[in-house]
Amino acid sequence: MPVLEVRGVSKRYGKNLVVDDVSFIIEEGETYGLLGPNGAGKSTTIGMIIGILQRDAGTIRIDGAEHSVTNSRTKALIGFAPQEIAVYKDLSARDNLRFFARLYGLSGARARAKADEVLEMVGLSDHAGEAVSTFSGGMARRVNIGLSLLNDPKLLILDEPTVGVDPQSRNSILESVQALTRGGLSVLYTTHYMEEAERLCDRVGIIESGRLRAEGTQRELVAQVGEDDTVLVTLGGPADKALDRLRALDRVSEVSADGTRIRLLTEDARGVLPSVLRTLTEEDMDIRSVEVQEPDLEAVFLRLTGKGLRE
Amino acid sequence: MANGPNPAAVVTAIVAKDVRQRLRDGSFLVFGLLLPLGVAFFFNMLLGGDAQQRTGSTYAVVNGDDGTLGENLVDGMLRPLDEDGVLDLVVVDSEDGAREAVEDGDADAAFLIPEDFSRSLDSGEEAVLTVVGDAESPVAAYIAQEIGRAYATEHHRITLTVASAFDTEPDPEAAALLLEEAESARAPLTVAENDGLDTRQLDTATYYSASMAYFFVLFAAMFNVTSIFEERANGTLARMLASPIPRWTILTAKLSSGLLIGLVNMAVLALATTLLFGAEWGHPLGVAALVLTGVLAIVGLTAAVAGFASGSEQAANWLSVLAMLLGAFGGALFPISQLNELAVVSYLTPHRWFLEGLTDLSAGGLSAVLVPCAVLLGLGLVGTAVALLRMGRMVKS
């Protein structure tokens, strides 16, 4: 049974349809990346999933149960770390955790114990009593994420969890997420960093203009858009004389030259590479470097949306 | 993991968190204690001292006494003050004329000396000197009462002195008897304040202590009520809404924390001004009822107005203006008399009802606060209802 099942969900603000018939599922222990440019409908979709926005159509099931803004049972299964650092900065990390623990039904000693456990988990035990306002961006981010773990959720929703943090803290956060998923936690992850999605996500959904344009594993998405591999060869002299022979090679779809540099598109770069090198050698050309670029999520995203992920 | 936490526990948790934040940001201390105490102290220093520092008030006197003591009061006490420029004295012919002078604003207060004034005092019976004050001139009315009290005290002292001066070698038993009679004797002269609501006044210390406490309680409560905007802006409201709590608990907690902060502020200020300034707030039960309904009214109105704002800053701006308007028209910043024809507007403000309730309490029994409390409760309930409707949109999906 999927931990999250989103079926035909739509949301309209006035005449503006901001989420249009979106469907996807997240299985237990799976990390699902929801990618899309600003204004694509990610936040609204997440708002409906965490139960703060009413949907206009469709169904959302959490661990098999119908989910709504008033269903406290399904809401208790979700942990949510918003994009902004949603903590009380004038309170200490421990006070923040204890407060939100009480909103999840923990009281007294249980709330204190859980707060201490989460502080340990996010590596802030030594700073537990300090006001969050004194924390670095990375430390505050960790409190933000820690708050989403207080209720031992089955589904963790992380909305841009690494924005504004240093590389060390980012790596720490990513490792923490990987550790959580290894423990069986399901994660819905949004990010503007493609390398994070490629590193963490088992499957990715690309949303644009309120519609889910494509979803699948990275390889499936690449296959869906039919993106070619790119081979870049830099020579010691002019590249023109070998172009015709290269265009004649099997599985090569396009060849272009720019001074001493040849750009070659193919559906299988690694398979065609020996033929390319042999041809250039036979033409007595001085090969200085070779680079193979396989299509990534960035390329897929660009092809599907016409925009870069950070636009 | 427990589902659906106890709503009462949730409200308590949010209130405790809000109070902790108010303690940490200093707003509780500054707006709840330091400012009201400081301003009340300032006004007490400025206006609560020697009556001779104030000039320009007009006092009417009607001497109906068929004896000499009334004349003694007018010529021996009031006229010298007139001659010294402390007050302007106007002698009128009748009680109705004196009351009319006060009502018309021609006099700030009036002394009514009854026909049997001398006879009552000579026979050792109680004589009543009535002071009619103008509600719109509280300071002048207060001074008039103090003059009357001073005369009453003086007359009492003279009577006792004469009574003991005749017995230069007192028989011990007779002296003890005389002393006992003197101590148990009622003052032969009492000052009766007018029974009309408009003419009863709090003493200066109590008036400014209460008015400043009530004026600043709006600011103290404001931070809690408007904190929901800040929670929305920094994302903690979304986090709360995503948790498995009933949405109504959030608004309830916000209003409750404002009420709690306001009540604590008022209680501390009542105690502090009593100890520091000698303010006399009145019967504790009556004061408690007025403070409870008064703070409820302030929180309700504050939340209602904030409910129409689009953000924290706008709400704070609006509420600051509201505080000044309510304070000015409600008689908390300066006497209502200075509003002239606009004085009737004061009845639309909780400040007027709160201060009037305290005034009534000082002059009458506990039942005197029923009407002011009922009005304040009504204002509070209406404000809260509007607030829930308006602010409810912030927690709706």
Side-chain angles (χ1 to χ4, degrees):
Chain A
M1 181 195 311
V3 171
L4 171 66
E5 187 176 356
V6 178
R7 291 286 173 219
V9 165
S10 297
K11 177 72 179 178
R12 184 184 291 277
Y13 288 119
K15 293 180 179 177
N16 191 19
L17 187 61
V18 292
V19 175
D20 183 10
D21 194 27
V22 166
S23 300
F24 62 93
I25 64 170
I26 302 179
E27 299 287 353
E28 186 172 346
E30 184 181 31
T31 299
Y32 187 96
L34 190 61
L35 307 184
N38 290 331
K42 294 193 303 291
S43 295
T44 305
T45 302
I46 287 175
M48 290 186 283
I49 293 172
I50 63 176
I52 66 173
L53 291 178
Q54 195 85 256
R55 57 187 178 273
D56 294 327
T59 60
I60 296 175
R61 290 183 169 274
I62 307 290
D63 204 28
E66 177 75 20
H67 182 51
S68 71
V69 294
T70 57
N71 189 336
S72 59
R73 197 189 76 76
T74 51
K75 288 173 92 171
L77 299 174
I78 300 172
F80 170 54
Q83 181 174 340
E84 66 270 34
I85 299 175
V87 303
Y88 300 104
K89 294 184 173 66
D90 51 344
L91 300 184
S92 70
R94 179 182 283 127
D95 285 343
N96 271 281
L97 287 160
R98 286 182 182 174
F99 169 67
F100 282 104
R102 294 186 70 181
L103 301 193
Y104 282 91
L106 300 175
S107 58
R110 289 177 66 207
R112 287 194 292 276
K114 191 65 190 176
D116 290 342
E117 179 189 327
V118 171
L119 283 167
E120 181 72 31
M121 196 184 301
V122 296
L124 290 172
S125 295
D126 292 341
H127 304 278
E130 298 168 17
V132 177
S133 58
T134 66
F135 285 7
S136 67
M139 292 165 74
R141 277 276 164 208
R142 281 187 273 162
V143 177
N144 198 41
I145 293 173
L147 291 171
S148 67
L149 301 173
L150 283 166
N151 55 327
D152 295 326
K154 292 202 76 169
L155 173 66
L156 177 62
I157 298 174
L158 300 173
D159 189 7
E160 304 275 2
T162 60
V163 168
V165 303
D166 57 89
Q168 190 178 356
S169 293
R170 173 183 292 180
N171 195 52
S172 170
I173 289 170
L174 297 181
E175 284 179 355
S176 299
V177 174
Q178 287 175 312
L180 289 167
T181 54
R182 279 196 296 274
L185 183 63
S186 303
V187 176
L188 174 59
Y189 196 96
T190 76
T191 181
H192 277 114
Y193 300 109
M194 200 59 73
E195 63 276 16
E196 287 183 11
E198 290 172 345
R199 175 175 167 183
L200 291 178
C201 299
D202 302 302
R203 289 188 304 127
V204 167
I206 294 178
I207 188 170
E208 199 248 342
S209 299
R211 293 188 67 87
L212 196 65
R213 302 292 299 272
E215 70 163 345
T217 63
Q218 183 177 341
R219 184 151 294 280
E220 288 169 345
L221 286 172
V222 169
Q224 279 182 36
V225 299
E227 188 78 8
D228 284 337
D229 296 346
T230 302
V231 178
L232 294 171
V233 183
T234 305
L235 304 171
D240 298 344
K241 65 179 180 180
L243 295 184
D244 289 340
R245 286 192 62 187
L246 290 173
R247 288 191 181 108
L249 292 175
D250 191 26
R251 291 177 290 170
V252 171
S253 57
E254 184 180 327
V255 178
S256 60
D258 179 15
T260 61
R261 190 175 163 114
I262 295 174
R263 181 171 177 270
L264 185 146
L265 296 181
T266 172
E267 65 187 52
D268 181 12
R270 297 182 194 284
V272 84
L273 189 58
S275 302
V276 170
L277 296 177
R278 190 182 317 117
T279 302
L280 293 173
T281 305
E282 288 171 1
E283 290 291 334
D284 203 22
M285 301 182 83
D286 179 16
I287 301 172
R288 297 284 176 85
S289 69
V290 177
E291 182 183 349
V292 173
Q293 294 177 344
E294 293 178 334
D296 56 10
L297 282 176
E298 183 79 52
V300 173
F301 191 86
L302 191 60
R303 176 67 70 87
L304 286 173
T305 67
K307 301 173 184 173
L309 189 53
R310 296 185 198 184
E311 289 181 39
Chain B
M1 178 62 55
N3 295 330
N6 181 341
V10 170
V11 171
T12 304
I14 298 173
V15 168
K17 185 269 298 175
D18 281 355
V19 169
R20 182 172 296 174
Q21 286 184 291
R22 296 292 78 78
L23 290 174
R24 290 201 178 186
D25 68 17
S27 61
F28 175 85
L29 186 66
V30 173
F31 287 98
L33 297 176
L34 296 182
L35 275 175
L37 274 179
V39 178
F41 176 75
F42 172 76
F43 278 121
N44 272 318
M45 289 290 290
L46 191 68
L47 303 173
D50 185 358
Q52 292 190 7
Q53 291 176 1
R54 282 165 295 284
T55 60
S57 296
T58 301
Y59 295 87
V61 60
V62 53
N63 183 9
D65 185 22
D66 50 17
T68 58
L69 288 174
E71 193 177 321
N72 176 261
L73 170 60
V74 175
D75 294 336
M77 192 162 195
L78 297 178
R79 207 171 295 284
L81 291 172
D82 182 23
E83 290 166 359
D84 288 346
V86 175
L87 52 82
D88 294 324
L89 188 65
V90 178
V91 178
V92 293
D93 297 333
S94 65
E95 284 193 13
D96 288 344
R99 290 179 188 277
E100 196 174 322
V102 173
E103 286 173 9
D104 292 346
D106 296 332
D108 298 295
F111 298 93
L112 310 182
I113 304 174
E115 185 179 341
D116 59 350
F117 192 64
S118 293
R119 271 184 281 126
S120 298
L121 289 173
D122 288 343
S123 61
E125 295 174 0
E126 179 179 345
V128 176
L129 171 65
T130 301
V131 174
V132 178
D134 182 356
E136 298 176 359
S137 302
V139 175
Y142 174 66
I143 293 169
Q145 291 170 25
E146 293 301 306
I147 292 171
R149 284 200 176 92
Y151 185 78
T153 304
E154 179 73 7
H155 191 81
H156 191 182
R157 186 182 63 75
I158 290 169
T159 301
L160 287 174
T161 301
V162 170
S164 59
F166 279 105
D167 197 350
T168 50
E169 292 180 7
D171 174 75
E173 286 186 18
L177 186 62
L178 182 61
L179 184 60
E180 188 179 335
E181 284 178 357
E183 288 177 342
S184 61
R186 296 168 65 191
L189 174 65
T190 61
V191 177
E193 297 168 16
N194 190 284
D195 287 340
L197 290 177
D198 286 352
T199 53
R200 282 201 295 272
Q201 298 299 324
L202 294 170
D203 63 83
T204 307
T206 306
Y207 170 73
Y208 282 111
S209 296
S211 63
M212 285 304 107
Y214 198 61
F215 175 72
F216 280 103
V217 81
L218 189 151
F219 290 97
M222 176 176 82
F223 290 99
N224 283 73
V225 173
T226 60
S227 66
I228 194 166
F229 291 104
E230 289 159 24
E231 301 238 25
R232 185 174 64 178
N234 67 23
T236 48
L237 179 62
R239 204 186 267 286
M240 281 199 272
L241 291 171
S243 68
I245 63 173
R247 297 186 168 207
W248 60 263
T249 56
I250 299 173
L251 286 181
T252 303
K254 290 297 174 190
L255 295 175
S256 299
S257 60
L259 186 65
L260 178 65
I261 289 280
L263 290 175
V264 171
N265 278 150
M266 290 296 290
V268 172
L269 286 170
L271 185 63
T273 54
T274 299
L275 296 175
L276 295 174
F277 308 144
E280 297 172 357
W281 286 65
H283 193 290
L285 279 180
V287 174
L290 281 168
V291 166
L292 179 62
T293 53
V295 174
L296 182 66
I298 287 294
V299 171
L301 290 177
T302 303
V305 172
F308 287 88
S310 60
S312 174
E313 190 175 347
Q314 187 178 56
N317 290 338
W318 286 3
L319 290 174
S320 298
V321 173
L322 177 72
M324 297 305 296
L325 289 176
L326 292 179
F329 283 100
L333 296 180
F334 49 79
I336 291 169
S337 60
Q338 296 181 24
L339 293 174
N340 298 320
E341 291 80 10
L342 285 175
V344 67
V345 178
S346 66
Y347 284 104
L348 296 174
T349 71
H351 298 61
R352 167 74 191 231
W353 290 101
F354 177 76
L355 293 171
E356 188 160 301
L358 282 180
T359 308
D360 293 349
L361 185 65
S362 71
L366 274 176
S367 60
V369 302
L370 286 178
V371 171
C373 282
V375 174
L376 290 169
L377 180 63
L379 286 172
L381 293 178
V382 169
T384 302
V386 173
L388 289 175
L389 282 175
R390 292 294 304 177
M391 298 184 87
R393 68 202 158 104
M394 280 191 263
V395 297
K396 282 183 181 171
S397 51

